[in-house]
PDB file of all heavy atoms in Angstrom:
ATOM      1  N   GLY A   1     -32.889  71.452  86.831  1.00  0.00           N
ATOM      2  CA  GLY A   1     -33.356  72.829  86.709  1.00  0.00           C
ATOM      3  C   GLY A   1     -32.343  73.796  86.150  1.00  0.00           C
ATOM      4  O   GLY A   1     -32.589  74.995  86.087  1.00  0.00           O
ATOM      5  N   ARG A   2     -31.178  73.275  85.713  1.00  0.00           N
ATOM      6  CA  ARG A   2     -30.142  74.134  85.143  1.00  0.00           C
ATOM      7  C   ARG A   2     -29.795  73.681  83.727  1.00  0.00           C
ATOM      8  O   ARG A   2     -30.154  72.586  83.306  1.00  0.00           O
ATOM      9  CB  ARG A   2     -28.894  74.115  86.030  1.00  0.00           C
ATOM     10  CG  ARG A   2     -29.112  74.723  87.422  1.00  0.00           C
ATOM     11  CD  ARG A   2     -27.837  74.653  88.243  1.00  0.00           C
ATOM     12  NE  ARG A   2     -27.443  73.274  88.515  1.00  0.00           N
ATOM     13  CZ  ARG A   2     -26.214  72.899  88.829  1.00  0.00           C
ATOM     14  NH1 ARG A   2     -25.245  73.805  88.897  1.00  0.00           N
ATOM     15  NH2 ARG A   2     -25.932  71.643  89.076  1.00  0.00           N
ATOM     16  N   ASP A   3     -29.076  74.526  83.018  1.00  0.00           N
ATOM     17  CA  ASP A   3     -28.663  74.214  81.659  1.00  0.00           C
ATOM     18  C   ASP A   3     -27.235  73.672  81.649  1.00  0.00           C
ATOM     19  O   ASP A   3     -26.340  74.249  82.278  1.00  0.00           O
ATOM     20  CB  ASP A   3     -28.730  75.464  80.771  1.00  0.00           C
ATOM     21  CG  ASP A   3     -30.151  75.925  80.524  1.00  0.00           C
ATOM     22  OD1 ASP A   3     -31.091  75.155  80.844  1.00  0.00           O
ATOM     23  OD2 ASP A   3     -30.336  77.044  80.026  1.00  0.00           O
ATOM     24  N   HIS A   4     -27.052  72.568  80.953  1.00  0.00           N
ATOM     25  CA  HIS A   4     -25.733  71.945  80.816  1.00  0.00           C
ATOM     26  C   HIS A   4     -25.525  71.539  79.368  1.00  0.00           C
ATOM     27  O   HIS A   4     -26.475  71.374  78.596  1.00  0.00           O
ATOM     28  CB  HIS A   4     -25.618  70.689  81.692  1.00  0.00           C
ATOM     29  CG  HIS A   4     -25.917  70.889  83.133  1.00  0.00           C
ATOM     30  ND1 HIS A   4     -25.081  71.590  83.971  1.00  0.00           N
ATOM     31  CD2 HIS A   4     -26.964  70.471  83.898  1.00  0.00           C
ATOM     32  CE1 HIS A   4     -25.602  71.598  85.197  1.00  0.00           C
ATOM     33  NE2 HIS A   4     -26.736  70.928  85.176  1.00  0.00           N
ATOM     34  N   ARG A   5     -24.268  71.328  79.014  1.00  0.00           N
ATOM     35  CA  ARG A   5     -23.913  70.745  77.722  1.00  0.00           C
ATOM     36  C   ARG A   5     -23.733  69.230  77.889  1.00  0.00           C
ATOM     37  O   ARG A   5     -23.258  68.764  78.919  1.00  0.00           O
ATOM     38  CB  ARG A   5     -22.609  71.340  77.188  1.00  0.00           C
ATOM     39  CG  ARG A   5     -22.675  72.813  76.814  1.00  0.00           C
ATOM     40  CD  ARG A   5     -21.308  73.293  76.335  1.00  0.00           C
ATOM     41  NE  ARG A   5     -21.358  74.664  75.832  1.00  0.00           N
ATOM     42  CZ  ARG A   5     -21.260  75.745  76.596  1.00  0.00           C
ATOM     43  NH1 ARG A   5     -21.093  75.610  77.917  1.00  0.00           N
ATOM     44  NH2 ARG A   5     -21.311  76.947  76.052  1.00  0.00           N
ATOM     45  N   GLY A   6     -24.091  68.488  76.865  1.00  0.00           N
ATOM     46  CA  GLY A   6     -23.782  67.069  76.858  1.00  0.00           C
ATOM     47  C   GLY A   6     -22.313  66.840  76.572  1.00  0.00           C
ATOM     48  O   GLY A   6     -21.616  67.724  76.048  1.00  0.00           O
ATOM     49  N   VAL A   7     -21.806  65.655  76.898  1.00  0.00           N
ATOM     50  CA  VAL A   7     -20.387  65.349  76.697  1.00  0.00           C
ATOM     51  C   VAL A   7     -20.164  64.239  75.677  1.00  0.00           C
ATOM     52  O   VAL A   7     -19.022  63.882  75.392  1.00  0.00           O
ATOM     53  CB  VAL A   7     -19.710  64.971  78.027  1.00  0.00           C
ATOM     54  CG1 VAL A   7     -19.737  66.151  78.998  1.00  0.00           C
ATOM     55  CG2 VAL A   7     -20.359  63.742  78.657  1.00  0.00           C
ATOM     56  N   LEU A   8     -21.240  63.697  75.109  1.00  0.00           N
ATOM     57  CA  LEU A   8     -21.104  62.653  74.102  1.00  0.00           C
ATOM     58  C   LEU A   8     -20.506  63.231  72.823  1.00  0.00           C
ATOM     59  O   LEU A   8     -20.966  64.273  72.338  1.00  0.00           O
ATOM     60  CB  LEU A   8     -22.474  62.031  73.813  1.00  0.00           C
ATOM     61  CG  LEU A   8     -22.519  60.933  72.747  1.00  0.00           C
ATOM     62  CD1 LEU A   8     -21.723  59.714  73.193  1.00  0.00           C
ATOM     63  CD2 LEU A   8     -23.968  60.546  72.445  1.00  0.00           C
ATOM     64  N   ARG A   9     -19.516  62.568  72.263  1.00  0.00           N
ATOM     65  CA  ARG A   9     -18.844  63.050  71.070  1.00  0.00           C
ATOM     66  C   ARG A   9     -18.824  61.972  69.978  1.00  0.00           C
ATOM     67  O   ARG A   9     -18.992  60.785  70.249  1.00  0.00           O
ATOM     68  CB  ARG A   9     -17.394  63.464  71.399  1.00  0.00           C
ATOM     69  CG  ARG A   9     -17.309  64.610  72.403  1.00  0.00           C
ATOM     70  CD  ARG A   9     -17.802  65.920  71.801  1.00  0.00           C
ATOM     71  NE  ARG A   9     -17.756  67.022  72.764  1.00  0.00           N
ATOM     72  CZ  ARG A   9     -18.817  67.460  73.461  1.00  0.00           C
ATOM     73  NH1 ARG A   9     -19.992  66.878  73.303  1.00  0.00           N
ATOM     74  NH2 ARG A   9     -18.682  68.471  74.296  1.00  0.00           N
ATOM     75  N   ARG A  10     -18.589  62.427  68.764  1.00  0.00           N
ATOM     76  CA  ARG A  10     -18.469  61.503  67.638  1.00  0.00           C
ATOM     77  C   ARG A  10     -17.409  60.435  67.925  1.00  0.00           C
ATOM     78  O   ARG A  10     -17.570  59.262  67.570  1.00  0.00           O
ATOM     79  CB  ARG A  10     -18.104  62.272  66.365  1.00  0.00           C
ATOM     80  CG  ARG A  10     -18.042  61.377  65.113  1.00  0.00           C
ATOM     81  CD  ARG A  10     -17.186  62.018  64.012  1.00  0.00           C
ATOM     82  NE  ARG A  10     -17.788  63.222  63.480  1.00  0.00           N
ATOM     83  CZ  ARG A  10     -18.299  63.350  62.254  1.00  0.00           C
ATOM     84  NH1 ARG A  10     -18.279  62.320  61.425  1.00  0.00           N
ATOM     85  NH2 ARG A  10     -18.793  64.496  61.840  1.00  0.00           N
ATOM     86  N   SER A  11     -16.330  60.827  68.562  1.00  0.00           N
ATOM     87  CA  SER A  11     -15.257  59.871  68.863  1.00  0.00           C
ATOM     88  C   SER A  11     -15.734  58.771  69.807  1.00  0.00           C
ATOM     89  O   SER A  11     -15.288  57.622  69.711  1.00  0.00           O
ATOM     90  CB  SER A  11     -14.051  60.599  69.469  1.00  0.00           C
ATOM     91  OG  SER A  11     -14.433  61.341  70.629  1.00  0.00           O
ATOM     92  N   ASP A  12     -16.644  59.100  70.737  1.00  0.00           N
ATOM     93  CA  ASP A  12     -17.203  58.076  71.631  1.00  0.00           C
ATOM     94  C   ASP A  12     -18.018  57.066  70.839  1.00  0.00           C
ATOM     95  O   ASP A  12     -17.934  55.851  71.078  1.00  0.00           O
ATOM     96  CB  ASP A  12     -18.095  58.725  72.695  1.00  0.00           C
ATOM     97  CG  ASP A  12     -17.334  59.641  73.639  1.00  0.00           C
ATOM     98  OD1 ASP A  12     -16.311  59.200  74.190  1.00  0.00           O
ATOM     99  OD2 ASP A  12     -17.770  60.798  73.809  1.00  0.00           O
ATOM    100  N   MET A  13     -18.816  57.582  69.907  1.00  0.00           N
ATOM    101  CA  MET A  13     -19.637  56.678  69.101  1.00  0.00           C
ATOM    102  C   MET A  13     -18.776  55.818  68.187  1.00  0.00           C
ATOM    103  O   MET A  13     -19.042  54.623  68.003  1.00  0.00           O
ATOM    104  CB  MET A  13     -20.662  57.477  68.301  1.00  0.00           C
ATOM    105  CG  MET A  13     -21.705  58.154  69.182  1.00  0.00           C
ATOM    106  SD  MET A  13     -23.045  58.914  68.251  1.00  0.00           S
ATOM    107  CE  MET A  13     -23.787  57.504  67.439  1.00  0.00           C
ATOM    108  N   ALA A  14     -17.739  56.403  67.616  1.00  0.00           N
ATOM    109  CA  ALA A  14     -16.867  55.654  66.720  1.00  0.00           C
ATOM    110  C   ALA A  14     -16.115  54.550  67.459  1.00  0.00           C
ATOM    111  O   ALA A  14     -15.806  53.500  66.879  1.00  0.00           O
ATOM    112  CB  ALA A  14     -15.886  56.599  66.048  1.00  0.00           C
ATOM    113  N   ALA A  15     -15.847  54.763  68.739  1.00  0.00           N
ATOM    114  CA  ALA A  15     -15.068  53.787  69.515  1.00  0.00           C
ATOM    115  C   ALA A  15     -15.900  52.602  69.979  1.00  0.00           C
ATOM    116  O   ALA A  15     -15.349  51.575  70.392  1.00  0.00           O
ATOM    117  CB  ALA A  15     -14.429  54.479  70.718  1.00  0.00           C
ATOM    118  N   PHE A  16     -17.226  52.740  69.920  1.00  0.00           N
ATOM    119  CA  PHE A  16     -18.098  51.676  70.436  1.00  0.00           C
ATOM    120  C   PHE A  16     -18.574  50.766  69.320  1.00  0.00           C
ATOM    121  O   PHE A  16     -18.882  51.200  68.217  1.00  0.00           O
ATOM    122  CB  PHE A  16     -19.329  52.282  71.121  1.00  0.00           C
ATOM    123  CG  PHE A  16     -20.374  51.259  71.476  1.00  0.00           C
ATOM    124  CD1 PHE A  16     -20.195  50.432  72.567  1.00  0.00           C
ATOM    125  CD2 PHE A  16     -21.521  51.106  70.704  1.00  0.00           C
ATOM    126  CE1 PHE A  16     -21.149  49.461  72.889  1.00  0.00           C
ATOM    127  CE2 PHE A  16     -22.472  50.157  71.016  1.00  0.00           C
ATOM    128  CZ  PHE A  16     -22.299  49.331  72.115  1.00  0.00           C
ATOM    129  N   SER A  17     -18.645  49.488  69.623  1.00  0.00           N
ATOM    130  CA  SER A  17     -19.244  48.524  68.718  1.00  0.00           C
ATOM    131  C   SER A  17     -20.039  47.530  69.550  1.00  0.00           C
ATOM    132  O   SER A  17     -19.557  47.017  70.568  1.00  0.00           O
ATOM    133  CB  SER A  17     -18.170  47.789  67.913  1.00  0.00           C
ATOM    134  OG  SER A  17     -18.753  46.809  67.078  1.00  0.00           O
ATOM    135  N   ALA A  18     -21.267  47.285  69.147  1.00  0.00           N
ATOM    136  CA  ALA A  18     -22.049  46.234  69.796  1.00  0.00           C
ATOM    137  C   ALA A  18     -21.316  44.903  69.652  1.00  0.00           C
ATOM    138  O   ALA A  18     -20.492  44.722  68.742  1.00  0.00           O
ATOM    139  CB  ALA A  18     -23.435  46.155  69.175  1.00  0.00           C
ATOM    140  N   SER A  19     -21.629  43.958  70.525  1.00  0.00           N
ATOM    141  CA  SER A  19     -20.858  42.710  70.527  1.00  0.00           C
ATOM    142  C   SER A  19     -21.700  41.555  71.030  1.00  0.00           C
ATOM    143  O   SER A  19     -22.808  41.732  71.558  1.00  0.00           O
ATOM    144  CB  SER A  19     -19.603  42.872  71.399  1.00  0.00           C
ATOM    145  OG  SER A  19     -19.969  43.185  72.736  1.00  0.00           O
ATOM    146  N   TRP A  20     -21.145  40.364  70.865  1.00  0.00           N
ATOM    147  CA  TRP A  20     -21.774  39.140  71.360  1.00  0.00           C
ATOM    148  C   TRP A  20     -21.045  38.665  72.615  1.00  0.00           C
ATOM    149  O   TRP A  20     -19.825  38.727  72.682  1.00  0.00           O
ATOM    150  CB  TRP A  20     -21.721  38.051  70.295  1.00  0.00           C
ATOM    151  CG  TRP A  20     -22.451  38.384  69.039  1.00  0.00           C
ATOM    152  CD1 TRP A  20     -21.897  38.765  67.840  1.00  0.00           C
ATOM    153  CD2 TRP A  20     -23.863  38.378  68.839  1.00  0.00           C
ATOM    154  NE1 TRP A  20     -22.884  38.986  66.917  1.00  0.00           N
ATOM    155  CE2 TRP A  20     -24.101  38.756  67.498  1.00  0.00           C
ATOM    156  CE3 TRP A  20     -24.957  38.092  69.662  1.00  0.00           C
ATOM    157  CZ2 TRP A  20     -25.382  38.850  66.962  1.00  0.00           C
ATOM    158  CZ3 TRP A  20     -26.233  38.180  69.147  1.00  0.00           C
ATOM    159  CH2 TRP A  20     -26.450  38.553  67.807  1.00  0.00           C
ATOM    160  N   GLU A  21     -21.815  38.201  73.582  1.00  0.00           N
ATOM    161  CA  GLU A  21     -21.230  37.708  74.829  1.00  0.00           C
ATOM    162  C   GLU A  21     -21.845  36.362  75.198  1.00  0.00           C
ATOM    163  O   GLU A  21     -22.963  36.032  74.775  1.00  0.00           O
ATOM    164  CB  GLU A  21     -21.475  38.703  75.972  1.00  0.00           C
ATOM    165  CG  GLU A  21     -20.794  40.044  75.792  1.00  0.00           C
ATOM    166  CD  GLU A  21     -20.924  40.917  77.033  1.00  0.00           C
ATOM    167  OE1 GLU A  21     -21.576  40.482  78.009  1.00  0.00           O
ATOM    168  OE2 GLU A  21     -20.371  42.030  77.019  1.00  0.00           O
ATOM    169  N   GLU A  22     -21.139  35.628  76.008  1.00  0.00           N
ATOM    170  CA  GLU A  22     -21.657  34.370  76.533  1.00  0.00           C
ATOM    171  C   GLU A  22     -22.699  34.668  77.616  1.00  0.00           C
ATOM    172  O   GLU A  22     -22.462  35.496  78.496  1.00  0.00           O
ATOM    173  CB  GLU A  22     -20.513  33.541  77.124  1.00  0.00           C
ATOM    174  CG  GLU A  22     -20.919  32.171  77.632  1.00  0.00           C
ATOM    175  CD  GLU A  22     -19.750  31.395  78.226  1.00  0.00           C
ATOM    176  OE1 GLU A  22     -18.611  31.865  78.102  1.00  0.00           O
ATOM    177  OE2 GLU A  22     -19.995  30.331  78.815  1.00  0.00           O
ATOM    178  N   PRO A  23     -23.847  34.028  77.583  1.00  0.00           N
ATOM    179  CA  PRO A  23     -24.849  34.285  78.627  1.00  0.00           C
ATOM    180  C   PRO A  23     -24.465  33.663  79.957  1.00  0.00           C
ATOM    181  O   PRO A  23     -23.615  32.767  80.030  1.00  0.00           O
ATOM    182  CB  PRO A  23     -26.114  33.638  78.064  1.00  0.00           C
ATOM    183  CG  PRO A  23     -25.626  32.582  77.132  1.00  0.00           C
ATOM    184  CD  PRO A  23     -24.327  33.086  76.561  1.00  0.00           C
ATOM    185  N   VAL A  24     -25.094  34.159  80.997  1.00  0.00           N
ATOM    186  CA  VAL A  24     -25.001  33.567  82.335  1.00  0.00           C
ATOM    187  C   VAL A  24     -26.195  32.630  82.489  1.00  0.00           C
ATOM    188  O   VAL A  24     -27.284  32.913  81.974  1.00  0.00           O
ATOM    189  CB  VAL A  24     -25.033  34.666  83.410  1.00  0.00           C
ATOM    190  CG1 VAL A  24     -24.965  34.064  84.800  1.00  0.00           C
ATOM    191  CG2 VAL A  24     -23.895  35.647  83.185  1.00  0.00           C
ATOM    192  N   GLU A  25     -26.020  31.508  83.182  1.00  0.00           N
ATOM    193  CA  GLU A  25     -27.105  30.535  83.231  1.00  0.00           C
ATOM    194  C   GLU A  25     -27.274  29.923  84.609  1.00  0.00           C
ATOM    195  O   GLU A  25     -26.360  29.931  85.448  1.00  0.00           O
ATOM    196  CB  GLU A  25     -26.875  29.424  82.203  1.00  0.00           C
ATOM    197  CG  GLU A  25     -25.629  28.586  82.446  1.00  0.00           C
ATOM    198  CD  GLU A  25     -25.430  27.538  81.362  1.00  0.00           C
ATOM    199  OE1 GLU A  25     -25.444  27.909  80.166  1.00  0.00           O
ATOM    200  OE2 GLU A  25     -25.257  26.350  81.710  1.00  0.00           O
ATOM    201  N   PHE A  26     -28.496  29.387  84.823  1.00  0.00           N
ATOM    202  CA  PHE A  26     -28.799  28.632  86.040  1.00  0.00           C
ATOM    203  C   PHE A  26     -29.823  27.571  85.666  1.00  0.00           C
ATOM    204  O   PHE A  26     -30.795  27.848  84.955  1.00  0.00           O
ATOM    205  CB  PHE A  26     -29.360  29.536  87.142  1.00  0.00           C
ATOM    206  CG  PHE A  26     -29.664  28.815  88.422  1.00  0.00           C
ATOM    207  CD1 PHE A  26     -28.644  28.488  89.294  1.00  0.00           C
ATOM    208  CD2 PHE A  26     -30.955  28.436  88.744  1.00  0.00           C
ATOM    209  CE1 PHE A  26     -28.902  27.801  90.474  1.00  0.00           C
ATOM    210  CE2 PHE A  26     -31.236  27.761  89.922  1.00  0.00           C
ATOM    211  CZ  PHE A  26     -30.200  27.434  90.791  1.00  0.00           C
ATOM    212  N   ASP A  27     -29.606  26.341  86.135  1.00  0.00           N
ATOM    213  CA  ASP A  27     -30.538  25.244  85.870  1.00  0.00           C
ATOM    214  C   ASP A  27     -31.617  25.212  86.952  1.00  0.00           C
ATOM    215  O   ASP A  27     -31.303  25.070  88.147  1.00  0.00           O
ATOM    216  CB  ASP A  27     -29.800  23.906  85.824  1.00  0.00           C
ATOM    217  CG  ASP A  27     -28.900  23.778  84.608  1.00  0.00           C
ATOM    218  OD1 ASP A  27     -29.203  24.425  83.586  1.00  0.00           O
ATOM    219  OD2 ASP A  27     -27.894  23.041  84.676  1.00  0.00           O
ATOM    220  N   PHE A  28     -32.858  25.332  86.517  1.00  0.00           N
ATOM    221  CA  PHE A  28     -33.985  25.373  87.456  1.00  0.00           C
ATOM    222  C   PHE A  28     -35.076  24.431  86.959  1.00  0.00           C
ATOM    223  O   PHE A  28     -35.632  24.619  85.886  1.00  0.00           O
ATOM    224  CB  PHE A  28     -34.535  26.800  87.565  1.00  0.00           C
ATOM    225  CG  PHE A  28     -35.708  26.946  88.498  1.00  0.00           C
ATOM    226  CD1 PHE A  28     -35.509  27.001  89.881  1.00  0.00           C
ATOM    227  CD2 PHE A  28     -36.994  27.023  88.004  1.00  0.00           C
ATOM    228  CE1 PHE A  28     -36.590  27.133  90.745  1.00  0.00           C
ATOM    229  CE2 PHE A  28     -38.077  27.169  88.867  1.00  0.00           C
ATOM    230  CZ  PHE A  28     -37.879  27.215  90.237  1.00  0.00           C
ATOM    231  N   ARG A  29     -35.334  23.398  87.731  1.00  0.00           N
ATOM    232  CA  ARG A  29     -36.414  22.447  87.465  1.00  0.00           C
ATOM    233  C   ARG A  29     -36.350  21.890  86.040  1.00  0.00           C
ATOM    234  O   ARG A  29     -37.343  21.847  85.308  1.00  0.00           O
ATOM    235  CB  ARG A  29     -37.774  23.109  87.721  1.00  0.00           C
ATOM    236  CG  ARG A  29     -37.922  23.735  89.120  1.00  0.00           C
ATOM    237  CD  ARG A  29     -37.812  22.692  90.230  1.00  0.00           C
ATOM    238  NE  ARG A  29     -37.780  23.283  91.566  1.00  0.00           N
ATOM    239  CZ  ARG A  29     -38.844  23.370  92.382  1.00  0.00           C
ATOM    240  NH1 ARG A  29     -40.019  22.930  91.977  1.00  0.00           N
ATOM    241  NH2 ARG A  29     -38.705  23.897  93.586  1.00  0.00           N
ATOM    242  N   GLY A  30     -35.163  21.496  85.620  1.00  0.00           N
ATOM    243  CA  GLY A  30     -34.990  20.846  84.334  1.00  0.00           C
ATOM    244  C   GLY A  30     -34.851  21.775  83.151  1.00  0.00           C
ATOM    245  O   GLY A  30     -34.803  21.318  82.001  1.00  0.00           O
ATOM    246  N   VAL A  31     -34.771  23.070  83.405  1.00  0.00           N
ATOM    247  CA  VAL A  31     -34.662  24.061  82.340  1.00  0.00           C
ATOM    248  C   VAL A  31     -33.447  24.938  82.622  1.00  0.00           C
ATOM    249  O   VAL A  31     -33.186  25.310  83.768  1.00  0.00           O
ATOM    250  CB  VAL A  31     -35.933  24.926  82.262  1.00  0.00           C
ATOM    251  CG1 VAL A  31     -35.739  26.105  81.317  1.00  0.00           C
ATOM    252  CG2 VAL A  31     -37.117  24.080  81.810  1.00  0.00           C
ATOM    253  N   THR A  32     -32.684  25.284  81.576  1.00  0.00           N
ATOM    254  CA  THR A  32     -31.571  26.214  81.723  1.00  0.00           C
ATOM    255  C   THR A  32     -32.068  27.615  81.423  1.00  0.00           C
ATOM    256  O   THR A  32     -32.571  27.881  80.321  1.00  0.00           O
ATOM    257  CB  THR A  32     -30.415  25.853  80.771  1.00  0.00           C
ATOM    258  OG1 THR A  32     -29.969  24.520  81.067  1.00  0.00           O
ATOM    259  CG2 THR A  32     -29.262  26.821  80.944  1.00  0.00           C
ATOM    260  N   VAL A  33     -31.945  28.496  82.405  1.00  0.00           N
ATOM    261  CA  VAL A  33     -32.406  29.880  82.287  1.00  0.00           C
ATOM    262  C   VAL A  33     -31.201  30.740  81.933  1.00  0.00           C
ATOM    263  O   VAL A  33     -30.195  30.743  82.662  1.00  0.00           O
ATOM    264  CB  VAL A  33     -33.049  30.373  83.595  1.00  0.00           C
ATOM    265  CG1 VAL A  33     -33.626  31.780  83.413  1.00  0.00           C
ATOM    266  CG2 VAL A  33     -34.138  29.408  84.057  1.00  0.00           C
ATOM    267  N   LEU A  34     -31.275  31.484  80.825  1.00  0.00           N
ATOM    268  CA  LEU A  34     -30.171  32.302  80.341  1.00  0.00           C
ATOM    269  C   LEU A  34     -30.445  33.783  80.575  1.00  0.00           C
ATOM    270  O   LEU A  34     -31.554  34.264  80.328  1.00  0.00           O
ATOM    271  CB  LEU A  34     -29.946  32.085  78.843  1.00  0.00           C
ATOM    272  CG  LEU A  34     -29.670  30.662  78.364  1.00  0.00           C
ATOM    273  CD1 LEU A  34     -29.401  30.672  76.868  1.00  0.00           C
ATOM    274  CD2 LEU A  34     -28.498  30.049  79.117  1.00  0.00           C
ATOM    275  N   LYS A  35     -29.398  34.505  81.017  1.00  0.00           N
ATOM    276  CA  LYS A  35     -29.489  35.944  81.234  1.00  0.00           C
ATOM    277  C   LYS A  35     -28.183  36.601  80.781  1.00  0.00           C
ATOM    278  O   LYS A  35     -27.185  35.929  80.518  1.00  0.00           O
ATOM    279  CB  LYS A  35     -29.728  36.260  82.721  1.00  0.00           C
ATOM    280  CG  LYS A  35     -30.972  35.637  83.318  1.00  0.00           C
ATOM    281  CD  LYS A  35     -32.245  36.193  82.715  1.00  0.00           C
ATOM    282  CE  LYS A  35     -32.535  37.598  83.185  1.00  0.00           C
ATOM    283  NZ  LYS A  35     -33.852  38.088  82.722  1.00  0.00           N
ATOM    284  N   SER A  36     -28.199  37.922  80.734  1.00  0.00           N
ATOM    285  CA  SER A  36     -26.967  38.667  80.465  1.00  0.00           C
ATOM    286  C   SER A  36     -26.125  38.748  81.731  1.00  0.00           C
ATOM    287  O   SER A  36     -26.572  38.367  82.818  1.00  0.00           O
ATOM    288  CB  SER A  36     -27.299  40.066  79.966  1.00  0.00           C
ATOM    289  OG  SER A  36     -27.992  40.793  80.969  1.00  0.00           O
ATOM    290  N   GLY A  37     -24.925  39.268  81.597  1.00  0.00           N
ATOM    291  CA  GLY A  37     -23.991  39.333  82.714  1.00  0.00           C
ATOM    292  C   GLY A  37     -24.312  40.427  83.713  1.00  0.00           C
ATOM    293  O   GLY A  37     -25.312  41.145  83.602  1.00  0.00           O
ATOM    294  N   PRO A  38     -23.438  40.615  84.711  1.00  0.00           N
ATOM    295  CA  PRO A  38     -23.709  41.541  85.813  1.00  0.00           C
ATOM    296  C   PRO A  38     -23.561  43.012  85.462  1.00  0.00           C
ATOM    297  O   PRO A  38     -23.705  43.861  86.334  1.00  0.00           O
ATOM    298  CB  PRO A  38     -22.689  41.119  86.877  1.00  0.00           C
ATOM    299  CG  PRO A  38     -21.549  40.535  86.092  1.00  0.00           C
ATOM    300  CD  PRO A  38     -22.190  39.852  84.927  1.00  0.00           C
TER     301      PRO A  38
END
């Protein structure tokens, strides 16, 4: 209910890069189930 300014800056966006990660897995009934990390 109040007005605020955002804090996201160009420098934050420039510092971030999407990436590839190893999945987390569990074997269930003969199938390996893959998920992202915690």
